[in-house]
């Protein structure tokens, strides 16, 4: 195994990292640990990965096939998308303690292809709004200037990518919910 520090590894693109996984240059567990370190480093400032599930990702890393499409790549999942056993709030106090029993088919398909869910990313209440803020988790801050907002509604996803917390982050878009945070971040 190559010796990579967290920031060096986190700066690589998803395509580069998947290639490294397939060649055995880095293991899924090493990526989970690098991602966990990066999340711990940046979360106090940005509030993007609001529900980490590192232990779940560690367990999944032991079972992932290096021949799968994503080969053990850690990802973020927007807090509008249910993941079994992981708190899913939809950004609203009404669901602040909701833990779904079933995983959304999109995430099931990603996991079947080797994705490792590192955690849930922040979103406005029910994904409605041009700024990522809600009463459960508060504001996600812009990674380049934390006095500014990250856009919405996939602001947590965009910030998790811009800060190198994960290499791929799932979001959704109806009226600019991906495009606005991408531009802001």
């Amino acid at each position: 195994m190559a010796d990579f520090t967290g920031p060096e590894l986190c700066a690589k693109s998803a395509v580069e990292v998947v290639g490294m996984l397939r060649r055995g240059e880095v293991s899924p567990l090493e990526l989970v640990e690098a991602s966990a370190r990066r999340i711990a480093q940046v979360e106090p400032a940005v509030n993007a990965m609001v529900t980490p599930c590192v232990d779940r990702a560690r367990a999944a890393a032991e079972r992932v096939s290096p021949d799968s499409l994503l080969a053990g790549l850690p990802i973020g999942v927007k807090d509008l998308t249910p993941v079994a056993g992981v708190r899913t709030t939809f950004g609203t106090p009404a669901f602040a303690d909701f833990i779904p029993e079933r995983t959304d088919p999109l995430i099931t398909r990603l996991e079947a292809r080797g994705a490792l869910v590192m955690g849930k990313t922040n979103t406005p209440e029910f994904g409605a709004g041009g700024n990522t803020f809600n009463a459960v988790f508060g504001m996600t801050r812009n990674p380049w200037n934390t006095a500014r907002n990250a856009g919405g509604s996939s602001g947590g996803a965009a910030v998790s990518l811009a800060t190198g917390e994960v290499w791929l982050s799932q979001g959704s878009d109806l009226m600019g919910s991906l495009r606005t945070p991408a531009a802001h971040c």
Side-chain angles (χ1 to χ4, degrees), residues 28-146:
L29 189 55
E30 286 174 311
L31 290 184
V32 168
E33 296 307 329
S35 179
R37 283 191 303 274
R38 188 63 181 155
I39 289 167
Q41 288 171 341
V42 301
E43 274 308 301
V46 296
N47 195 37
M49 189 77 66
V50 292
T51 305
C53 46
V54 178
D55 289 339
R56 184 181 191 281
R58 284 182 182 125
E62 300 295 329
R63 301 184 305 270
V64 72
S65 168
D67 296 327
S68 59
L69 181 66
L70 296 173
L73 185 73
I75 69 167
V77 174
K78 191 173 180 178
D79 196 29
L80 298 179
T81 309
V83 175
V86 178
R87 182 181 181 199
T88 302
T89 73
F90 307 98
T92 186
F95 287 100
D97 298 316
F98 176 62
I99 299 175
E101 294 179 12
R102 292 196 171 110
T103 298
D104 185 274
L106 171 66
I107 306 307
T108 300
R109 291 183 70 142
L110 285 167
E111 288 183 313
R113 286 155 180 81
L116 305 176
V117 175
M118 282 301 294
K120 302 302 283 293
T121 60
N122 207 10
T123 185
E125 189 172 32
F126 295 116
N131 186 4
T132 299
F133 172 86
N134 63 62
V136 179
F137 297 115
M139 176 180 166
T140 294
R141 298 181 182 283
N142 188 294
W144 308 112
N145 181 345
T146 57

Side-chain angles (χ1 to χ4, degrees), residues 15-38:
V15 172
E16 289 174 302
V17 173
V18 169
M20 293 170 64
L21 283 162
R22 289 192 176 144
R23 290 187 301 273
E25 296 171 8
V26 65
S27 73
L29 189 55
E30 286 174 311
L31 290 184
V32 168
E33 296 307 329
S35 179
R37 283 191 303 274
R38 188 63 181 155

Side-chain angles (χ1 to χ4, degrees), residues 3-13 16-17 20 34 38 167:
D3 183 25
F4 292 101
T5 64
E8 289 170 350
L9 188 56
C10 291
K12 294 190 178 296
S13 74
E16 289 174 302
V17 173
M20 293 170 64
R38 188 63 181 155
W167 293 269

